[in-house]
Amino acid sequence: MGGSAQTWAGIAQVAVLVLLLVVAYRPLGDWIARVFESGHHGRAERVVYRLIGVEPDAEQSWPAYLRGVLLISVVGVLFVYLLQRIQVVLPGDLGLPAVGPSLAFNTAASFVSNTNWQSYSPEVTLGYSVQMAGLAVQNFLSAAVGLAVAVALVRGFARRNTGTLGNVWVDVVRGTGRLLLPLSFVFALVLVAGGVIQSWGAGTDVTTLIGGTQHIPDGFVASQEAIKLLGTNGGGYYNANSAHPFENPQAWTSLVEVFLMLVIPFSLPRAFGRMVGDHRQGYAILAVMGAIFLVSLSAMSIAELAGGGVATHAAGAAMEGKEVRFGILGSTLFGTASTATSTGAVNAMFDSFTPLGGMMAMLNMMLGEVTPGGVGSGLYGMLVLAVITVFIGGLLVGRTPEYLGKKIRAREMTFAALYILVTPTVVLLGTALSLVIPGVREQVLGTSVFNSGNHGLSELLYAFTSAGNNNGSAFGGLTANTTWMNSALGVAMLLGRFVPMVFVLALAGSLAKQEKVPATVGTLPTHRPLFIGLLGGVAVIVTALTYFPVLALGPLAEGLVR
């Protein structure tokens, strides 16, 4: 396909995607709001509440809500770790050995934190029981936990003179049973129709290009693929992830998978607007998310279409590491969606992207994955940025900043500022420690980092950026299955997921205690273009100032060399 034809085909894909997201925005956003605003408990839900000993109508303060989030997650880590360690005695083990301690910890932390980083090849490491009872279950629960925290923050803005944020157990059960499960069921059928496998069979023997034989196990791939994308999880059933033909057989299934990654995060602003009683606020948040997403997609696509270096220009395109089924623009669309959310799924190798194209994938994560971000985490991340934005706006006009009728005082700004500082600290500290601790440095440079120089730094920086932001994608040149990398990345995932949640819920609790104050002539309108531009600027500038020095040593330096 010629360059011009490929460009128009890529534009057509984006246009179809935007149309699908526009069509889904209002009904799905309204559905999400109804799920969490409803006072009715279903019969099956009541059975669950009785089994876990929960009173569904009991409201919780933010510390109680946080304890529930942490309890669900701690139990999840222990359960997934145990399943991997006793894999040999579980049905459907495929004859595979038990997973080693450091890798089992990394995998458990990864899936519970909604990261789905994989330091292993799934088809030769995990059997059916671990894949289904461990990883697939956490795909639902980790997404539901992120959604619950976002809803709690929205309630903090919407409620008056109360210290409660709802009930975490009800929110997680509803998010799973009323939203994620039915959507996953429907789209699993769509993917099966597109050729994604769904089978507990003996597997398939294929002949390789060099005449050898490879055994590819079957599995319940379509069902896991649906929730992996809808829940912005990203962990593939196969090592090639969404580049594998059993996970992503055709160009149109690739577009469907991009839609699945984006549809809930881009619909959440509608739910936010409805829950706070002002749809204009939802459109403002959506505008910032959408604008930055399109700019990022354009920049990554331009970098990949332009290529870099003599070999790329001689070949006519930067196709190394990309699927010919999807092409360059199909790969950049998938890659942008994956890293702008917290998904981390891939249909091409990011390590094969041009230096500036790979940098854009990194920047998407360094923004905090708020454009549109993960299920729940993207919305609460953007709302924290909105709090910081109105504080800056308040300083400019010399008045107490307000957002949605709530005053942003020193207490609220402290929580917002701490939220912003957590992830960069985890990312930069993890990268630095890997290069300065004696013994660890030699292991990282000798075993983990495949490439030397600028690209080697980019591989390591990308790994900690992905872990700290709960994305899960990687530059394939990095060997992460070592004791240090498994342990350090596992800790980074847990800190990057749950420490920010502490500050989000503390902020929500502080806001919920306030009475709403009436708008005055000095109040900054938060639904107009001025605020939208200011919010977008804050999101980008905070990121640039934090990460620019290390980016200059890695992908920027590499990309500027010809």
Side-chain angles (χ1 to χ4, degrees), residues 403-422:
Y403 187 52
L404 304 179
K406 298 296 180 76
K407 289 188 175 183
I408 307 304
R409 305 161 302 184
R411 179 180 176 84
E412 288 76 28
M413 271 306 300
T414 299
F415 294 138
L418 289 172
Y419 174 93
I420 293 298
L421 291 172
V422 170

Side-chain angles (χ1 to χ4, degrees), residues 222-233:
S223 55
Q224 186 153 319
E225 193 76 7
I227 185 56
K228 139 191 164 179
L229 298 164
L230 273 168
T232 58
N233 297 285

Side-chain angles (χ1 to χ4, degrees), residues 250-510:
Q250 305 179 59
W252 74 262
T253 59
S254 189
L255 185 60
V256 168
E257 293 184 4
V258 173
F259 170 75
L260 294 181
M261 286 188 269
L262 297 173
V263 65
I264 294 179
F266 266 131
S267 296
L268 278 171
R270 172 73 183 188
F272 162 65
R274 174 167 172 158
M275 292 177 72
V276 299
D278 187 351
H279 287 301
R280 299 174 302 174
Q281 304 298 333
Y283 287 122
I285 296 297
L286 177 67
V288 177
M289 289 178 169
I292 298 178
F293 178 88
L294 291 175
V295 169
S296 175
L297 172 61
S298 300
M300 183 185 288
S301 299
I302 290 170
E304 294 307 304
L305 288 170
V310 177
T312 301
H313 289 154
M319 280 300 295
E320 196 278 326
K322 298 184 179 69
E323 276 285 341
V324 294
R325 295 176 295 153
F326 310 133
I328 289 179
L329 295 178
S331 299
T332 57
L333 177 60
F334 200 105
T336 301
S338 179
T339 53
T341 63
S342 64
T343 310
V346 293
N347 72 353
M349 292 296 292
F350 285 153
D351 203 28
S352 298
F353 277 35
T354 62
L356 297 181
M359 184 186 72
M360 289 310 303
M362 244 188 286
L363 275 173
N364 288 336
M365 295 184 289
M366 289 171 172
L367 278 169
E369 293 177 327
V370 293
T371 60
V375 170
S377 60
L379 178 62
Y380 66 65
M382 186 59 82
L383 291 178
V384 171
L385 286 172
V387 167
I388 293 174
T389 302
V390 296
F391 180 78
I392 294 172
L395 292 178
L396 294 176
V397 298
R399 293 184 63 88
T400 302
E402 302 159 12
Y403 187 52
L404 304 179
K406 298 296 180 76
K407 289 188 175 183
I408 307 304
R409 305 161 302 184
R411 179 180 176 84
E412 288 76 28
M413 271 306 300
T414 299
F415 294 138
L418 289 172
Y419 174 93
I420 293 298
L421 291 172
V422 170
T423 305
T425 301
V426 169
V427 171
L428 298 176
L429 187 61
T431 304
L433 290 176
S434 298
L435 295 174
V436 300
I437 298 177
V440 169
R441 172 187 169 85
E442 288 71 26
Q443 183 188 77
V444 169
L445 295 181
T447 302
S448 296
V449 176
F450 178 74
N451 295 281
S452 60
N454 303 119
H455 194 73
L457 176 61
S458 294
E459 289 178 353
L460 188 62
L461 175 63
Y462 194 105
F464 279 97
T465 301
S466 178
N469 287 280
N470 304 130
N471 184 270
S473 62
F475 276 5
L478 185 83
T479 299
N481 192 11
T482 65
T483 301
W484 166 257
M485 292 302 293
N486 278 332
S487 302
L489 291 173
V491 171
M493 295 173 208
L494 294 175
L495 292 177
R497 175 69 164 179
F498 296 108
V499 176
M501 285 184 174
V502 173
F503 300 126
V504 169
L505 291 173
L507 174 62
S510 181

